[in-house]
């Protein structure tokens, strides 16, 4: 579901996280997509959007998030919420790091 695969993001920057919702049922699906940023299991930020997907179809939502300035390990969670059912979750782990203040060494680029 979460279509973001980077292992590192830059502290304090706005980041978009695409969410792909696939409906493999023979009837339309409607519910809420909840998106959370977690640090050590604690919710740092939470957003939600309504979502509807036609039978055997898919749709894409994008959640924008201002990443914290605090460095460390984080996790994003996208969850399909439905009444009287357990949420279906997608998780991605990553680290928030400082932006490199110097350009890459030219000699290392030449070796590529």
């Amino acid at each position: 579901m979460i279509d973001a695969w980077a292992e590192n993001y830059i502290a304090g920057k706005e980041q978009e996280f695409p969410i792909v919702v696939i409906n493999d049922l023979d009837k339309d699906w409607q519910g809420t997509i909840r998106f959370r940023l977690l640090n050590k299991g604690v919710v740092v930020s939470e957003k939600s959007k309504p979502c509807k997907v036609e039978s055997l179809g898919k749709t894409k939502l994008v959640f924008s998030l201002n990443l914290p300035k605090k460095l460390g390990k984080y996790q994003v969670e996208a969850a399909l919420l439905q009444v009287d059912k357990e949420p279906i979750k997608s998780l991605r782990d990553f680290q928030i790091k400082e932006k490199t203040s110097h350009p890459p060494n030219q000699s290392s680029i030449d070796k590529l």
Side-chain angles (χ1 to χ4, degrees):
M1 284 184 9
I2 300 172
D3 195 17
W5 302 94
E7 294 180 9
N8 301 302
Y9 291 100
I10 298 172
K13 285 195 78 173
E14 184 173 350
Q15 181 65 46
E16 290 187 344
F17 291 90
I19 310 298
V20 178
V21 183
I22 299 171
N23 181 1
D24 59 357
L25 303 174
D26 61 358
K27 61 181 181 176
D28 292 353
W29 179 87
Q30 186 170 326
T32 300
I33 306 299
R34 179 184 68 203
F35 184 78
R36 290 178 169 174
L37 173 67
L38 303 138
N39 178 252
K40 299 179 183 173
V42 176
V43 177
V44 176
S45 176
E46 182 173 321
K47 297 179 178 188
S48 62
K49 293 182 180 182
C51 182
K52 183 175 182 179
V53 186
E54 292 182 10
S55 168
L56 305 174
K58 71 178 180 177
T59 193
K60 182 177 178 180
L61 302 172
V62 177
F63 286 88
S64 293
L65 171 57
N66 287 322
L67 296 175
K69 293 180 181 177
K70 181 181 176 186
L71 308 181
K73 294 181 180 180
Y74 288 82
Q75 183 178 68
V76 286
E77 170 197 277
L80 279 69
L81 305 179
Q82 303 174 80
V83 177
D84 298 328
K85 292 186 179 181
E86 288 293 316
I88 299 169
K89 298 179 183 178
S90 174
L91 306 168
R92 293 289 181 272
D93 296 321
F94 60 90
Q95 289 193 30
I96 292 183
K97 296 188 171 189
E98 289 184 88
K99 183 177 181 180
T100 324
S101 58
H102 54 81
N105 182 335
Q106 186 64 37
S107 62
S108 64
I109 292 174
D110 293 337
K111 293 177 185 176
L112 296 177

